[in-house]
DNA sequence: ATACGCCCTCACGCCGCGTGAGGTTCAAGG
DNA sequence: CCTTGAACCTCACGCGGCGTGAGGGCGTAT
């Protein structure tokens, strides 16, 4: 059918085959409007028109259009495409492509950050709660953003990626369990400290062991991440609403306990 | 200075503190124009104005604005934000956030695909060539796109990620070396096949060994990826301009050689 | 003759503001 | 008091890449 149309049209001109907008649109997946627009901005004009003004695209035009579509699939803007295809000129293709790739990578990084925030936020929000008051919600949003900004200052992108993988391996349940265990553990250690219990005492040993296990579950044993965690606790004033001054004392207490256990074991 | 301004303004009204657009803009990092726009679309209107028409934002307005900014940082559209903050209503926060996260993930996936294509393209382009003719370039673009579309049909996203990591580990140099070695290796095997050499022959053994090594360097020994590679060679007609029919024969020949070596070894 | 489908040319709408133009008001200095 | 200069006001166009009509002409099968 398509062929018979072209046959008739081409018989009239006794020349090379041509295509109408609709045909071209169907072939390339673009819309007719897009093709009109490309002509409007001087990116692709049909080489001929019928007497009635209907656009007739020749083989050359189709070739050019294919190039345009290819470059569009690579995410170039129409302006950039026009520059690439300008009157037979060559251009530093590899450089252009690499620059563009760099832009895409940059966009992906910011999307990545965004996604982390959204995931952290979803994690914080009650899955069951149908209607969350706006105040509570925005409170959570702001805390998550503040937290993620601080986190991004202390961890390198590679470390963040590693933490991400670890979180996926552990699964949401396990993470919730660990987060739930921390407060009681901290409370236990605080009590022993305030009571002045010797770090070598067996009760403290048990708490310290569990403490190190939970830390290890977070860091995955990566020494770089351990250092970053340490820096964060040393330099910030409070994290998750926990006063880091007191926390530092507790960490010292726990590490004394661990050390004394290593001496004996 | 800022405080003294507010002091004067507030003394006149003997009431709660207020802020002017410029002050608010400075605090939130938005532009004055953005604040005007938010009023225009009914997202945030200052609760008062001076006689001269200057906007005066009250504490409530500032609170609302902070919420708006937070949600903007999470990538919500202004329309969505308006829906979230609508007259004190709660809303299914977690669901909204998760939906939004899903959208972000989807965008990231398509950016990922795009990046793969751009990287493959950059790899194919001569790093030294300053001026690449448009024809050659678009040819490369189209081949890369076609290839990546086929690749995406045969590998799962996880497999693609694994391949990506492997490529990064190997480095561009090594990949170029491997790609350069294939044609000669293929030629060698073809020659032995045409000569009718027994697969158990030592020369064929050496070729087959090297073949398997190169394949292993690509697949990383992942059985899932090996299967996907196999499917691709079985179902496509040509890959990288190589006729898969002939390739299948060669693969069979090589695997006979490997099998005979295993029998004896 | 008529109906249906394709084609044409305007022209406005989208999102989230940026960027003027052209004018008023505010707060401080002389 | 007057003058500056900064900050404010409104109005209106611009961006990219088209979508989506409105209102009409052309082509061809029945």
């Amino acid at each position: 059918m398509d062929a018979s149309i072209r046959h008739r049209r081409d018989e009239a001109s006794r020349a090379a085959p041509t295509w109408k907008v609709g045909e071209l649109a169907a072939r390339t997946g673009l819309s007719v409007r897009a093709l009109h627009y490309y002509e409007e901005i001087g990116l692709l004009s049909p080489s001929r028109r019928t007497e009635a003004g209907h656009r007739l695209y020749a083989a050359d035009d189709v070739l050019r259009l294919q190039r345009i579509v290819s470059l569009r699939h690579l995410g170039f803007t129409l302006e950039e495409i026009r520059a690439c295809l300008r009157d037979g000129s060559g251009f530093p293709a590899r450089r252009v492509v690499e620059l563009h790739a760099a832009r895409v990578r940059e966009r992906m990084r910011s999307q990545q950050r965004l996604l982390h925030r959204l995931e952290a936020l979803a994690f914080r929000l009650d899955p069951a709660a149908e209607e969350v008051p706006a105040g509570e919600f925005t409170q959570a949003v702001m805390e998550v953003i503040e937290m993620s900004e601080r986190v991004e200052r202390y961890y390198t992108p590679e470390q963040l990626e590693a933490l991400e993988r670890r979180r996926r391996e552990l699964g949401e349940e396990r993470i919730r369990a660990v987060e739930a265990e921390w407060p009681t553990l901290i409370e236990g250690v605080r009590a022993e400290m305030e009571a002045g219990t010797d770090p070598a005492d067996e009760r403290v040993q048990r708490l310290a062991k569990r403490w190190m296990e939970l830390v290890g579950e977070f860091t995955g044993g990566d020494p770089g991440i351990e250092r970053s965690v340490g820096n964060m606790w040393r330099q910030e004033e409070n994290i998750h609403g926990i006063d880091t001054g007191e926390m530092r004392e507790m960490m010292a207490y726990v590490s004394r306990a661990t050390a004394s256990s290593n001496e004996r074991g």
Side-chain angles (χ1 to χ4, degrees), chain A residues 5-164:
Chain A
I5 290 173
R6 181 149 58 256
H7 183 247
R8 256 173 271 112
R9 186 161 67 243
D10 299 340
E11 218 168 28
S13 67
R14 278 285 178 221
T18 58
W19 292 263
K20 307 216 289 183
V21 266
E23 293 166 2
L24 218 53
R27 267 179 219 295
T28 57
L30 293 173
S31 66
V32 171
R33 176 65 179 113
L35 289 167
H36 285 180
Y37 181 64
Y38 291 174
E39 183 174 2
E40 210 175 307
I41 62 168
L43 182 58
L44 175 71
S45 302
S47 35
R48 296 203 310 116
R49 291 229 184 188
T50 67
E51 289 179 20
H54 291 194
R55 290 166 179 79
L56 289 180
Y57 294 87
D60 275 4
D61 303 331
V62 176
L63 192 61
R64 186 175 169 90
L65 182 55
Q66 278 168 355
R67 294 172 176 178
I68 291 170
V69 171
S70 302
L71 290 166
R72 279 254 69 199
H73 276 135
L74 292 179
F76 287 96
T77 68
L78 298 182
E79 187 52 41
E80 288 165 336
I81 294 173
R82 188 160 50 182
C84 286
L85 301 184
R86 201 153 41 201
D87 44 307
S89 77
F91 63 101
R94 169 127 187 191
R95 197 141 44 220
V96 169
V97 169
E98 278 175 348
L99 268 168
H100 188 48
R103 281 198 324 233
V104 172
R105 265 190 289 269
E106 186 49 46
R107 273 211 301 271
M108 288 211 1
R109 258 194 292 278
S110 74
Q111 302 258 319
Q112 191 57 272
R113 279 199 297 272
L114 218 152
L115 191 56
H116 281 151
R117 290 170 186 198
L118 287 166
E119 280 170 350
L121 183 59
F123 182 80
R124 276 209 41 169
L125 294 167
D126 184 351
E130 265 300 301
E131 301 275 308
V132 176
E136 211 172 287
F137 175 70
T138 52
Q139 169 76 9
V141 169
M142 278 159 51
E143 282 177 24
V144 162
I145 287 182
E146 204 197 338
M147 194 62 204
S148 71
E149 273 171 4
R150 281 156 56 173
V151 161
E152 281 156 19
R153 276 206 302 280
Y154 286 96
Y155 300 96
T156 68
E158 295 78 33
Q159 290 179 341
L160 285 171
E161 208 183 320
L163 285 172
E164 176 75 4

